[in-house]
PDB file of all heavy atoms in Angstrom:
ATOM      1  N   ALA W   1      -7.551  -6.236  21.335  1.00  0.00           N
ATOM      2  CA  ALA W   1      -7.779  -5.305  20.175  1.00  0.00           C
ATOM      3  C   ALA W   1      -8.482  -4.091  20.733  1.00  0.00           C
ATOM      4  O   ALA W   1      -8.873  -3.963  21.886  1.00  0.00           O
ATOM      5  CB  ALA W   1      -8.633  -5.958  19.099  1.00  0.00           C
ATOM      6  N   THR W   2      -8.631  -3.119  19.828  1.00  0.00           N
ATOM      7  CA  THR W   2      -9.366  -1.884  20.139  1.00  0.00           C
ATOM      8  C   THR W   2     -10.797  -2.152  19.847  1.00  0.00           C
ATOM      9  O   THR W   2     -11.206  -2.984  19.014  1.00  0.00           O
ATOM     10  CB  THR W   2      -8.879  -0.583  19.449  1.00  0.00           C
ATOM     11  OG1 THR W   2      -9.204  -0.789  18.012  1.00  0.00           O
ATOM     12  CG2 THR W   2      -7.360  -0.383  19.728  1.00  0.00           C
ATOM     13  N   PRO W   3     -11.745  -1.446  20.415  1.00  0.00           N
ATOM     14  CA  PRO W   3     -13.185  -1.518  20.109  1.00  0.00           C
ATOM     15  C   PRO W   3     -13.448  -1.170  18.628  1.00  0.00           C
ATOM     16  O   PRO W   3     -14.185  -1.816  18.033  1.00  0.00           O
ATOM     17  CB  PRO W   3     -13.859  -0.587  20.961  1.00  0.00           C
ATOM     18  CG  PRO W   3     -12.996  -0.455  22.153  1.00  0.00           C
ATOM     19  CD  PRO W   3     -11.594  -0.585  21.708  1.00  0.00           C
ATOM     20  N   ILE W   4     -12.699  -0.284  18.102  1.00  0.00           N
ATOM     21  CA  ILE W   4     -12.778   0.128  16.736  1.00  0.00           C
ATOM     22  C   ILE W   4     -12.506  -1.048  15.776  1.00  0.00           C
ATOM     23  O   ILE W   4     -13.131  -1.429  14.838  1.00  0.00           O
ATOM     24  CB  ILE W   4     -11.962   1.314  16.339  1.00  0.00           C
ATOM     25  CG1 ILE W   4     -12.284   2.558  17.198  1.00  0.00           C
ATOM     26  CG2 ILE W   4     -12.011   1.571  14.840  1.00  0.00           C
ATOM     27  CD1 ILE W   4     -13.670   2.988  17.116  1.00  0.00           C
ATOM     28  N   GLN W   5     -11.387  -1.796  16.152  1.00  0.00           N
ATOM     29  CA  GLN W   5     -10.974  -2.976  15.365  1.00  0.00           C
ATOM     30  C   GLN W   5     -12.074  -3.997  15.480  1.00  0.00           C
ATOM     31  O   GLN W   5     -12.341  -4.709  14.430  1.00  0.00           O
ATOM     32  CB  GLN W   5      -9.576  -3.492  15.857  1.00  0.00           C
ATOM     33  CG  GLN W   5      -8.477  -2.497  15.465  1.00  0.00           C
ATOM     34  CD  GLN W   5      -7.233  -2.915  16.162  1.00  0.00           C
ATOM     35  OE1 GLN W   5      -7.183  -3.387  17.293  1.00  0.00           O
ATOM     36  NE2 GLN W   5      -6.167  -2.626  15.508  1.00  0.00           N
ATOM     37  N   VAL W   6     -12.623  -4.236  16.566  1.00  0.00           N
ATOM     38  CA  VAL W   6     -13.608  -5.273  16.848  1.00  0.00           C
ATOM     39  C   VAL W   6     -14.923  -4.909  15.974  1.00  0.00           C
ATOM     40  O   VAL W   6     -15.529  -5.823  15.309  1.00  0.00           O
ATOM     41  CB  VAL W   6     -13.948  -5.486  18.336  1.00  0.00           C
ATOM     42  CG1 VAL W   6     -15.302  -6.328  18.460  1.00  0.00           C
ATOM     43  CG2 VAL W   6     -12.800  -6.063  18.996  1.00  0.00           C
ATOM     44  N   ALA W   7     -15.269  -3.602  16.021  1.00  0.00           N
ATOM     45  CA  ALA W   7     -16.446  -3.255  15.285  1.00  0.00           C
ATOM     46  C   ALA W   7     -16.293  -3.554  13.711  1.00  0.00           C
ATOM     47  O   ALA W   7     -17.154  -3.958  13.181  1.00  0.00           O
ATOM     48  CB  ALA W   7     -16.734  -1.773  15.595  1.00  0.00           C
ATOM     49  N   LEU W   8     -15.120  -3.161  13.268  1.00  0.00           N
ATOM     50  CA  LEU W   8     -14.764  -3.320  11.834  1.00  0.00           C
ATOM     51  C   LEU W   8     -14.652  -4.852  11.495  1.00  0.00           C
ATOM     52  O   LEU W   8     -15.087  -5.276  10.459  1.00  0.00           O
ATOM     53  CB  LEU W   8     -13.483  -2.551  11.466  1.00  0.00           C
ATOM     54  CG  LEU W   8     -13.676  -1.024  11.470  1.00  0.00           C
ATOM     55  CD1 LEU W   8     -12.301  -0.386  11.289  1.00  0.00           C
ATOM     56  CD2 LEU W   8     -14.681  -0.605  10.428  1.00  0.00           C
ATOM     57  N   ALA W   9     -14.026  -5.549  12.357  1.00  0.00           N
ATOM     58  CA  ALA W   9     -13.912  -7.011  12.176  1.00  0.00           C
ATOM     59  C   ALA W   9     -15.304  -7.744  12.145  1.00  0.00           C
ATOM     60  O   ALA W   9     -15.513  -8.590  11.230  1.00  0.00           O
ATOM     61  CB  ALA W   9     -13.036  -7.684  13.183  1.00  0.00           C
ATOM     62  N   TRP W  10     -16.222  -7.232  12.990  1.00  0.00           N
ATOM     63  CA  TRP W  10     -17.560  -7.836  12.990  1.00  0.00           C
ATOM     64  C   TRP W  10     -18.261  -7.494  11.721  1.00  0.00           C
ATOM     65  O   TRP W  10     -18.898  -8.377  11.061  1.00  0.00           O
ATOM     66  CB  TRP W  10     -18.421  -7.238  14.196  1.00  0.00           C
ATOM     67  CG  TRP W  10     -19.813  -7.783  14.197  1.00  0.00           C
ATOM     68  CD1 TRP W  10     -20.164  -8.989  14.742  1.00  0.00           C
ATOM     69  CD2 TRP W  10     -20.964  -7.167  13.535  1.00  0.00           C
ATOM     70  NE1 TRP W  10     -21.496  -9.133  14.535  1.00  0.00           N
ATOM     71  CE2 TRP W  10     -21.977  -8.038  13.773  1.00  0.00           C
ATOM     72  CE3 TRP W  10     -21.234  -6.085  12.738  1.00  0.00           C
ATOM     73  CZ2 TRP W  10     -23.267  -7.845  13.323  1.00  0.00           C
ATOM     74  CZ3 TRP W  10     -22.422  -5.875  12.310  1.00  0.00           C
ATOM     75  CH2 TRP W  10     -23.455  -6.724  12.568  1.00  0.00           C
ATOM     76  N   LEU W  11     -18.104  -6.270  11.120  1.00  0.00           N
ATOM     77  CA  LEU W  11     -18.688  -6.006   9.889  1.00  0.00           C
ATOM     78  C   LEU W  11     -18.153  -6.941   8.764  1.00  0.00           C
ATOM     79  O   LEU W  11     -18.881  -7.468   7.938  1.00  0.00           O
ATOM     80  CB  LEU W  11     -18.518  -4.526   9.471  1.00  0.00           C
ATOM     81  CG  LEU W  11     -19.354  -3.478  10.194  1.00  0.00           C
ATOM     82  CD1 LEU W  11     -18.781  -2.109  10.000  1.00  0.00           C
ATOM     83  CD2 LEU W  11     -20.713  -3.604   9.833  1.00  0.00           C
ATOM     84  N   LEU W  12     -16.760  -7.043   8.740  1.00  0.00           N
ATOM     85  CA  LEU W  12     -16.115  -7.845   7.694  1.00  0.00           C
ATOM     86  C   LEU W  12     -16.561  -9.294   7.720  1.00  0.00           C
ATOM     87  O   LEU W  12     -16.681  -9.997   6.745  1.00  0.00           O
ATOM     88  CB  LEU W  12     -14.621  -7.719   7.762  1.00  0.00           C
ATOM     89  CG  LEU W  12     -14.045  -6.313   7.520  1.00  0.00           C
ATOM     90  CD1 LEU W  12     -12.560  -6.175   7.935  1.00  0.00           C
ATOM     91  CD2 LEU W  12     -14.166  -6.013   6.020  1.00  0.00           C
ATOM     92  N   GLN W  13     -16.819  -9.839   8.945  1.00  0.00           N
ATOM     93  CA  GLN W  13     -17.218 -11.185   9.114  1.00  0.00           C
ATOM     94  C   GLN W  13     -18.807 -11.451   8.882  1.00  0.00           C
ATOM     95  O   GLN W  13     -19.200 -12.428   8.677  1.00  0.00           O
ATOM     96  CB  GLN W  13     -16.709 -11.780  10.397  1.00  0.00           C
ATOM     97  CG  GLN W  13     -15.243 -11.991  10.377  1.00  0.00           C
ATOM     98  CD  GLN W  13     -14.793 -12.479  11.776  1.00  0.00           C
ATOM     99  OE1 GLN W  13     -13.799 -12.003  12.365  1.00  0.00           O
ATOM    100  NE2 GLN W  13     -15.491 -13.497  12.255  1.00  0.00           N
ATOM    101  N   HIS W  14     -19.418 -10.338   9.210  1.00  0.00           N
ATOM    102  CA  HIS W  14     -20.973 -10.420   9.246  1.00  0.00           C
ATOM    103  C   HIS W  14     -21.646 -10.816   7.965  1.00  0.00           C
ATOM    104  O   HIS W  14     -22.500 -11.625   7.850  1.00  0.00           O
ATOM    105  CB  HIS W  14     -21.578  -9.117   9.660  1.00  0.00           C
ATOM    106  CG  HIS W  14     -23.077  -9.224  10.003  1.00  0.00           C
ATOM    107  ND1 HIS W  14     -23.638  -9.976  10.995  1.00  0.00           N
ATOM    108  CD2 HIS W  14     -24.066  -8.588   9.251  1.00  0.00           C
ATOM    109  CE1 HIS W  14     -24.960  -9.793  10.826  1.00  0.00           C
ATOM    110  NE2 HIS W  14     -25.126  -9.052   9.851  1.00  0.00           N
ATOM    111  N   SER W  15     -21.137 -10.269   6.806  1.00  0.00           N
ATOM    112  CA  SER W  15     -21.699 -10.487   5.502  1.00  0.00           C
ATOM    113  C   SER W  15     -20.611 -10.261   4.402  1.00  0.00           C
ATOM    114  O   SER W  15     -19.938  -9.289   4.477  1.00  0.00           O
ATOM    115  CB  SER W  15     -22.942  -9.621   5.270  1.00  0.00           C
ATOM    116  OG  SER W  15     -23.313  -9.675   3.888  1.00  0.00           O
ATOM    117  N   PRO W  16     -20.572 -11.100   3.354  1.00  0.00           N
ATOM    118  CA  PRO W  16     -19.684 -10.798   2.269  1.00  0.00           C
ATOM    119  C   PRO W  16     -20.006  -9.576   1.436  1.00  0.00           C
ATOM    120  O   PRO W  16     -19.186  -9.106   0.752  1.00  0.00           O
ATOM    121  CB  PRO W  16     -19.810 -12.079   1.498  1.00  0.00           C
ATOM    122  CG  PRO W  16     -21.135 -12.661   1.721  1.00  0.00           C
ATOM    123  CD  PRO W  16     -21.474 -12.316   3.205  1.00  0.00           C
ATOM    124  N   ALA W  17     -21.196  -9.025   1.685  1.00  0.00           N
ATOM    125  CA  ALA W  17     -21.671  -7.895   0.934  1.00  0.00           C
ATOM    126  C   ALA W  17     -21.176  -6.614   1.635  1.00  0.00           C
ATOM    127  O   ALA W  17     -21.041  -5.620   0.915  1.00  0.00           O
ATOM    128  CB  ALA W  17     -23.201  -7.767   0.826  1.00  0.00           C
ATOM    129  N   LEU W  18     -20.726  -6.648   2.808  1.00  0.00           N
ATOM    130  CA  LEU W  18     -20.415  -5.489   3.574  1.00  0.00           C
ATOM    131  C   LEU W  18     -18.892  -5.044   3.258  1.00  0.00           C
ATOM    132  O   LEU W  18     -18.016  -5.853   3.307  1.00  0.00           O
ATOM    133  CB  LEU W  18     -20.408  -5.736   5.009  1.00  0.00           C
ATOM    134  CG  LEU W  18     -21.873  -5.754   5.657  1.00  0.00           C
ATOM    135  CD1 LEU W  18     -21.820  -6.295   7.065  1.00  0.00           C
ATOM    136  CD2 LEU W  18     -22.451  -4.325   5.633  1.00  0.00           C
ATOM    137  N   LEU W  19     -18.716  -3.722   2.940  1.00  0.00           N
ATOM    138  CA  LEU W  19     -17.529  -3.183   2.616  1.00  0.00           C
ATOM    139  C   LEU W  19     -17.359  -1.887   3.411  1.00  0.00           C
ATOM    140  O   LEU W  19     -17.683  -0.807   2.842  1.00  0.00           O
ATOM    141  CB  LEU W  19     -17.316  -2.883   1.113  1.00  0.00           C
ATOM    142  CG  LEU W  19     -17.451  -4.061   0.133  1.00  0.00           C
ATOM    143  CD1 LEU W  19     -17.591  -3.546  -1.270  1.00  0.00           C
ATOM    144  CD2 LEU W  19     -16.224  -4.899   0.262  1.00  0.00           C
ATOM    145  N   PRO W  20     -16.962  -2.014   4.649  1.00  0.00           N
ATOM    146  CA  PRO W  20     -16.897  -0.808   5.476  1.00  0.00           C
ATOM    147  C   PRO W  20     -15.751   0.110   5.001  1.00  0.00           C
ATOM    148  O   PRO W  20     -14.664  -0.268   4.559  1.00  0.00           O
ATOM    149  CB  PRO W  20     -16.667  -1.323   6.934  1.00  0.00           C
ATOM    150  CG  PRO W  20     -16.039  -2.610   6.700  1.00  0.00           C
ATOM    151  CD  PRO W  20     -16.568  -3.193   5.374  1.00  0.00           C
ATOM    152  N   ILE W  21     -15.992   1.354   4.978  1.00  0.00           N
ATOM    153  CA  ILE W  21     -14.958   2.444   4.663  1.00  0.00           C
ATOM    154  C   ILE W  21     -15.052   3.418   5.819  1.00  0.00           C
ATOM    155  O   ILE W  21     -15.764   4.533   5.672  1.00  0.00           O
ATOM    156  CB  ILE W  21     -15.392   3.021   3.298  1.00  0.00           C
ATOM    157  CG1 ILE W  21     -15.524   2.038   2.224  1.00  0.00           C
ATOM    158  CG2 ILE W  21     -14.241   4.066   2.908  1.00  0.00           C
ATOM    159  CD1 ILE W  21     -16.025   2.622   0.810  1.00  0.00           C
ATOM    160  N   PRO W  22     -14.328   3.177   6.871  1.00  0.00           N
ATOM    161  CA  PRO W  22     -14.313   4.152   7.965  1.00  0.00           C
ATOM    162  C   PRO W  22     -13.452   5.288   7.623  1.00  0.00           C
ATOM    163  O   PRO W  22     -12.359   5.170   7.065  1.00  0.00           O
ATOM    164  CB  PRO W  22     -13.711   3.311   9.132  1.00  0.00           C
ATOM    165  CG  PRO W  22     -12.790   2.252   8.369  1.00  0.00           C
ATOM    166  CD  PRO W  22     -13.597   2.004   7.179  1.00  0.00           C
ATOM    167  N   GLY W  23     -13.907   6.474   7.935  1.00  0.00           N
ATOM    168  CA  GLY W  23     -13.189   7.722   7.805  1.00  0.00           C
ATOM    169  C   GLY W  23     -11.997   7.823   8.719  1.00  0.00           C
ATOM    170  O   GLY W  23     -12.087   7.299   9.787  1.00  0.00           O
ATOM    171  N   THR W  24     -10.987   8.473   8.345  1.00  0.00           N
ATOM    172  CA  THR W  24      -9.887   8.655   9.214  1.00  0.00           C
ATOM    173  C   THR W  24      -9.128   9.930   8.810  1.00  0.00           C
ATOM    174  O   THR W  24      -9.085  10.214   7.587  1.00  0.00           O
ATOM    175  CB  THR W  24      -8.922   7.486   9.314  1.00  0.00           C
ATOM    176  OG1 THR W  24      -7.941   7.668  10.303  1.00  0.00           O
ATOM    177  CG2 THR W  24      -8.280   7.215   8.024  1.00  0.00           C
ATOM    178  N   SER W  25      -8.549  10.597   9.823  1.00  0.00           N
ATOM    179  CA  SER W  25      -7.817  11.860   9.463  1.00  0.00           C
ATOM    180  C   SER W  25      -6.300  11.641  10.014  1.00  0.00           C
ATOM    181  O   SER W  25      -5.640  12.643   9.834  1.00  0.00           O
ATOM    182  CB  SER W  25      -8.549  13.131  10.052  1.00  0.00           C
ATOM    183  OG  SER W  25      -8.601  12.921  11.528  1.00  0.00           O
TER     184      SER W  25
END
């Protein structure tokens, strides 16, 4: 995977309260 995907996956698995909204262009 990409490091970005791993960082987002970690957030999603870390806590059910976390709702990451990464910006993208």
Side-chain angles (χ1 to χ4, degrees):
T2 68
I4 299 303
Q5 290 169 329
V6 169
L8 292 173
W10 180 86
L11 284 168
L12 292 169
Q13 287 180 226
H14 185 68
S15 169
L18 285 168
L19 300 168
I21 305 172
T24 185
S25 60

